[in-house]
């Protein structure tokens, strides 16, 4: 688990008085400023930030101390905003920081599918990106149905076969999965 977590990224300027638009990665976008000053990726600069209002979805309009005009706000575009993990609350049961999911092994029916390389949200819900040994990537919905088990201690997530749309594996793997599905259906 990393020592810092990405909470947001400046995506542009808002108006002429130095306000910035920040895409947040927090459960409550308006809480972005509640954790104290944020920092850049290298922890070389800190950014005291005050959220002014919610914009659209997970974007907030904020003021960063020292950013006084549009030019300074535009210069902030692309700046990633991090916080020390210790400043955040512990994740509860069934809750995860996305950073903790990246790197986990994805398994299905005891077979390794690959590794989680990213967590995305394109507007319809969270998706795990799993890169297979063949180098291909597959997207898996990060829902209780599709990923019924996340075991951080063991370093793995379990993916249900119905939701795996990635590399089907070897012919032997496909036959084993088909036999397993047939056995499950026969037992119903």
């Amino acid at each position: 688990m990393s020592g810092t977590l990405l909470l947001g990224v400046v995506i542009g300027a808002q108006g002429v008085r130095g306000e910035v638009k920040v895409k947040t990665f927090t459960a409550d976008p308006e809480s972005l400023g509640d954790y104290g000053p944020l920092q850049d990726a290298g922890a070389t600069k800190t950014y005291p930030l005050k959220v002014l209002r919610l914009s659209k979805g997970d974007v907030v309009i904020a003021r960063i101390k020292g950013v006084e005009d549009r030019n300074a706000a535009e210069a902030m575009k692309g700046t990633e905003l991090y916080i020390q993990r210790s400043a955040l609350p512990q994740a509860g049961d069934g809750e995860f920081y996305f950073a903790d999911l990246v790197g986990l092994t994805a398994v299905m029916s005891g077979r390794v599918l690959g590794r989680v390389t990213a967590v995305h949200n394109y507007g319809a819900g969270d998706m795990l990106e799993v890169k297979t040994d063949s180098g291909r990537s597959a997207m898996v919905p990060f829902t209780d149905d599709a990923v019924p088990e996340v075991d951080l201690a063991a370093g793995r997530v379990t993916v249900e076969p119905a939701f795996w749309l990635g590399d089907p594996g070897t012919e032997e793997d496909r036959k084993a999965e088909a036999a397993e599905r047939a056995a499950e259906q026969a037992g119903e």
Side-chain angles (χ1 to χ4, degrees):
M1 294 185 201
S2 64
T4 60
L5 294 176
L6 178 64
L7 290 189
V9 62
V10 178
I11 60 171
Q14 173 70 31
V16 297
R17 296 188 179 136
E19 295 173 355
V20 294
K21 293 186 236 177
V22 180
K23 177 176 175 49
T24 67
F25 306 115
T26 57
D28 173 16
E30 292 178 291
S31 71
L32 181 65
D34 294 350
Y35 305 108
L38 303 176
Q39 59 191 25
D40 64 6
T44 57
K45 283 183 143 181
T46 60
Y47 302 100
L49 177 140
K50 179 181 179 186
V51 173
L52 302 175
R53 63 190 173 278
L54 186 62
S55 182
K56 295 177 184 174
D58 54 4
V59 175
V60 297
I61 306 302
R63 170 148 321 269
I64 296 176
K65 187 175 181 179
V67 177
E68 303 298 329
D69 61 28
R70 184 169 184 88
N71 289 340
E74 287 175 347
M76 293 288 301
K77 186 175 181 177
T79 302
E80 294 179 328
L81 304 169
Y82 291 82
I83 191 73
Q84 290 294 318
R85 177 184 285 277
S86 59
L88 296 173
Q90 289 285 72
D93 287 338
E95 297 179 330
F96 309 95
Y97 288 115
F98 287 170
D100 296 337
L101 299 173
V102 174
L104 296 181
T105 300
V107 298
M108 178 176 62
S109 304
R111 180 172 65 97
V112 172
L113 300 171
R115 293 217 176 268
V116 176
T117 57
V119 182
H120 303 284
N121 188 318
Y122 300 110
D126 298 325
M127 302 285 288
L128 299 181
E129 182 176 352
V130 177
K131 189 166 192 172
T132 66
D133 291 338
S134 67
R136 293 185 176 164
S137 288
M139 302 299 269
V140 177
F142 188 51
T143 63
D144 290 339
D145 290 336
V147 182
E149 181 183 14
V150 176
D151 188 340
L152 294 176
R156 72 170 181 259
V157 295
T158 301
V159 176
E160 282 296 315
F163 294 93
W164 179 249
L165 302 175
D167 186 349
T170 66
E171 180 66 27
E172 196 172 283
D173 291 335
R174 288 190 293 278
K175 286 179 182 177
E177 287 172 22
E180 185 176 314
R181 278 194 299 275
E184 286 175 6
Q185 290 174 350
E188 294 179 345

